[in-house]
Amino acid sequence: MTIMVLVWLMPTLLAIAVLLFATIKQSFVSARRTAELAAGLLIAGFPFIFVSSAQLALMVYITLVQLSALLLAARLVFGRLEPAFVFPSTQRNCLIVVVLLVIGMIGWAFDTYKGISVDITWVGVATIAAVALVHMSFFLQLLWAKRHFSLHLNDSRRPLKDLPTVSVCVPARNEDHALTDCLASVLASDYPKLEVLVLDDCSQDKTSQIIRSFAHDGVRFIQGELPADGWLGKNQARQTLAEHASGDFLLFLDVDTRVSPDSISQLIDFTLDSNIRMVSVLPQNRLGFRPGAVFDTLRFYWQQVLPVTPRRVTVASQLWVINATAFKALGGFKSVAHKITPEASFARRLGNSNAYRFITSQTALGVTTAKHWPSELASAIRHLYPTYKRQPLFALGAAAGTLLLFVAPPIISISSIITGQYGVLFVASSTAWIVATVTYGLVRRQSHPHVWLMMILLLPFTALQEAMLTFASLLQYEFGEVNWKGRNICYPVIRLVQNPSDPAALQARR
């Protein structure tokens, strides 16, 4: 190895050792000061990367690893997380950085010592071949999902006396743009035993007036309160709705979701026929050629192509129904007060006893979404980083993996066509691209029936958007604010180190 590599490697390894030391038996204040030293060492090592004689690809790799380590130091320096979480989290992430550095050093050794040679082309072929195999596994999982996530519609109806009562629970905060259409669709339902409850979660627009305007149709108005310590505002709103509801089943509905007249009847029949306690529905998007439809995020693509396990179930947040008795037995929202997707916890626990089902909506079921692009982006930022357990290297790895899966194959295939190189790399990348396109098209053909062909063409751009949203979610949770309807949700999700009675902390939760 060159002297420059050694000059770079020594402060980098020392910085990682300092970070590990900062998280072992230190107070938070001293840990922050120690992390500042680690950050200084990492910054000092950057110039030596670029004056080395390594290949460009390897220099980029090492630089990204260095930046990842700097990110770990920065989260300690900024001190936004509780030591009980951030200290073990930093230790795990530092070990990942060490592994990545070892891989980088092996590559550097191959590049430096003339007696060892590695054909980078075959490394690329192996990587893209692995990508193709991953997409094939996604395709097989989707075939399984299509069999298990479909709703078989039932034309028969139970006698009125055998029908359970259903409470439709709608939390609303600053929703005057969408609430009227949502409630109108619910009130048009043909289900005979229905009560509708809407909670105004401290709105600052005309939401409360809209709710009260439906009073003559039987809609019950519930006034919400500021979130208590440790609660996400939406979860507290749902818990309040559940406490006021009297139905045998609770149907939680987002304001931007619409139902057809027989949607609720079909869902309750399905729940009773299947003898399950909970069902969630992925709505169809029928907005047409709008950014919110064409540039939808990959969240529900992942839900359907990743395998279902005891720890990971497929769940939708826009509309879900749960048996009221089962809901209480699970502890209600009190057991998941700070969770971004509390319904996932309920679904996972009920799924272990085969009491939960996920279904994708279809035209006959008539559950649709009217969510627009800005709301989709904001929702992605709220969900992505918590999905990766608030671990920086997990989130960064997911962003890089998304680009590798969906952006690299078309770029390599098109480049091979332009240069006329139709070798093994072209075959591997084209196979990966075709299988990915078919799988993605099958998912979007059902979820976005009007624009699915356009979405297939824009898949690489959608993947790039997903990677950028993942990184933005990481940065906002770690160093900024993540807002839902004007309310900072970072406080309960990552438990900021603040005094809950402090006026600034209270204002952040409003």
Side-chain angles (χ1 to χ4, degrees), residues 2 5 8 49 52 54 58 62 104-113:
T2 65
V5 175
W8 161 77
I49 299 176
S52 65
L58 195 55
I62 294 298
M105 290 302 97
I106 293 174
W108 214 313
F110 283 145
D111 182 44
T112 302
Y113 293 108

Side-chain angles (χ1 to χ4, degrees), residues 152-435:
H152 302 290
L153 300 176
N154 186 1
D155 293 330
S156 62
R157 290 287 185 268
R158 285 177 166 76
L160 181 62
K161 62 182 179 62
D162 295 335
L163 291 176
T165 54
V166 176
S167 298
V168 178
C169 303
V170 183
R173 176 174 168 82
N174 299 334
E175 302 283 6
D176 60 2
H177 64 289
L179 185 57
T180 299
D181 290 342
C182 175
L183 294 182
S185 75
V186 173
L187 293 172
S189 173
D190 64 5
Y191 195 79
K193 295 184 177 180
L194 200 67
E195 70 169 351
V196 183
L197 303 88
V198 185
L199 181 141
D200 175 27
D201 187 10
C202 306
S203 297
Q204 299 161 334
D205 58 9
K206 297 180 180 180
T207 295
S208 62
Q209 297 169 246
I210 294 174
I211 300 172
R212 289 189 172 95
S213 71
F214 281 90
H216 63 281
D217 294 308
V219 173
R220 291 175 55 192
F221 173 88
I222 300 173
Q223 181 61 60
E225 299 178 351
L226 287 176
D229 183 29
W231 279 83
L232 282 177
K234 190 171 184 178
N235 290 347
Q236 181 171 297
R238 286 170 167 174
Q239 178 64 30
T240 303
L241 285 164
E243 291 169 355
H244 283 80
S246 59
D248 300 313
F249 283 86
L250 307 176
L251 189 156
F252 292 98
L253 184 71
D254 281 358
V255 171
D256 49 27
T257 304
R258 309 286 183 264
V259 294
S260 64
D262 64 346
S263 296
I264 297 176
S265 298
Q266 292 284 1
L267 289 173
I268 295 302
D269 282 341
F270 172 76
T271 302
L272 297 176
D273 291 343
S274 305
N275 194 28
I276 56 177
R277 299 294 184 184
M278 178 180 174
V279 60
S280 68
V281 182
L282 175 62
Q284 284 188 328
N285 190 310
R286 300 180 189 171
L287 290 176
F289 290 90
R290 297 183 182 180
V294 176
F295 289 102
D296 197 6
T297 63
L298 295 176
R299 178 183 175 191
F300 291 109
Y301 169 84
W302 294 124
Q303 291 269 36
Q304 297 182 65
V305 301
L306 294 178
V308 175
T309 69
R311 295 183 60 84
R312 199 205 75 83
V313 297
T314 305
V315 65
S317 306
Q318 295 96 325
L319 187 158
W320 51 283
V321 183
I322 188 169
N323 179 275
T325 302
F327 173 78
K328 293 177 182 177
L330 292 170
F333 288 99
K334 294 178 182 178
S335 64
V336 287
H338 67 290
K339 297 284 188 181
I340 289 288
T341 54
E343 60 278 359
S345 176
F346 300 142
R348 183 173 60 252
R349 286 181 278 171
L350 291 173
N352 291 333
S353 58
N354 295 318
Y356 164 74
R357 285 286 301 276
F358 168 86
I359 60 176
T360 54
S361 184
Q362 48 199 313
T363 302
L365 179 59
V367 178
T368 61
T369 179
K371 182 175 283 191
H372 295 279
W373 195 33
S375 296
E376 290 283 3
L377 299 183
S379 179
I381 288 176
R382 288 198 307 273
H383 284 90
L384 281 169
Y385 195 46
T387 298
Y388 301 113
K389 310 300 182 183
R390 308 189 305 279
Q391 303 293 335
L393 270 295
F394 291 1
L396 294 175
T402 300
L403 296 177
L404 180 62
L405 286 171
F406 298 106
V407 179
I411 288 178
I412 294 173
S413 297
I414 294 172
S415 299
S416 298
I417 293 173
I418 293 174
T419 59
Q421 298 178 355
Y422 300 103
V424 179
L425 184 60
F426 170 74
V427 173
S429 62
S430 298
T431 301
W433 189 9
I434 292 170
V435 177

Side-chain angles (χ1 to χ4, degrees), residues 22-24 26-28 31 76 82-91:
T23 61
I24 299 174
Q26 287 208 50
S27 68
F28 198 70
L76 281 179
E82 286 187 333
F85 170 78
V86 73
F87 283 3
S89 171
T90 301
Q91 293 167 11

Side-chain angles (χ1 to χ4, degrees), residues 3-19 36-49 66 69-70 97 101:
I3 188 64
M4 289 301 177
V5 175
L6 292 175
V7 173
W8 161 77
L9 186 60
M10 292 177 60
T12 299
L13 293 177
L14 179 59
I16 295 173
V18 168
L19 277 179
E36 290 174 358
L37 173 60
L41 290 169
L42 290 168
I43 293 173
F46 271 114
F48 299 101
I49 299 176
Q66 190 93 340
L70 185 60
V97 169
L101 283 174

Side-chain angles (χ1 to χ4, degrees), residues 16-185:
I16 295 173
V18 168
L19 277 179
L20 290 172
F21 175 75
T23 61
I24 299 174
K25 296 182 179 180
Q26 287 208 50
S27 68
F28 198 70
V29 174
S30 59
R32 292 174 65 177
R33 293 174 179 171
T34 307
E36 290 174 358
L37 173 60
L41 290 169
L42 290 168
I43 293 173
F46 271 114
F48 299 101
I49 299 176
F50 301 104
V51 296
S52 65
S53 58
Q55 293 181 1
L56 178 61
L58 195 55
M59 290 175 58
V60 172
Y61 173 85
I62 294 298
T63 300
L64 293 176
V65 175
Q66 190 93 340
L67 289 172
S68 299
L70 185 60
L71 176 64
L72 299 180
R75 69 201 300 241
L76 281 179
V77 172
F78 278 78
R80 286 171 50 87
L81 306 179
E82 286 187 333
F85 170 78
V86 73
F87 283 3
S89 171
T90 301
Q91 293 167 11
R92 286 192 294 268
N93 282 268
C94 280
L95 293 178
I96 296 174
V97 169
V98 170
V99 172
L100 294 176
L101 283 174
V102 170
I103 295 173
M105 290 302 97
I106 293 174
W108 214 313
F110 283 145
D111 182 44
T112 302
Y113 293 108
K114 302 303 181 181
I116 305 175
S117 62
V118 174
D119 190 342
I120 192 66
T121 301
W122 287 107
V123 174
V125 169
T127 302
I128 298 302
V131 168
L133 290 174
V134 169
H135 281 300
M136 289 178 185
S137 71
F138 288 169
F139 177 75
L140 294 175
Q141 173 62 27
L142 180 62
L143 295 181
W144 178 91
K146 281 193 166 294
R147 292 196 303 271
H148 290 78
F149 295 163
S150 297
L151 173 64
H152 302 290
L153 300 176
N154 186 1
D155 293 330
S156 62
R157 290 287 185 268
R158 285 177 166 76
L160 181 62
K161 62 182 179 62
D162 295 335
L163 291 176
T165 54
V166 176
S167 298
V168 178
C169 303
V170 183
R173 176 174 168 82
N174 299 334
E175 302 283 6
D176 60 2
H177 64 289
L179 185 57
T180 299
D181 290 342
C182 175
L183 294 182
S185 75

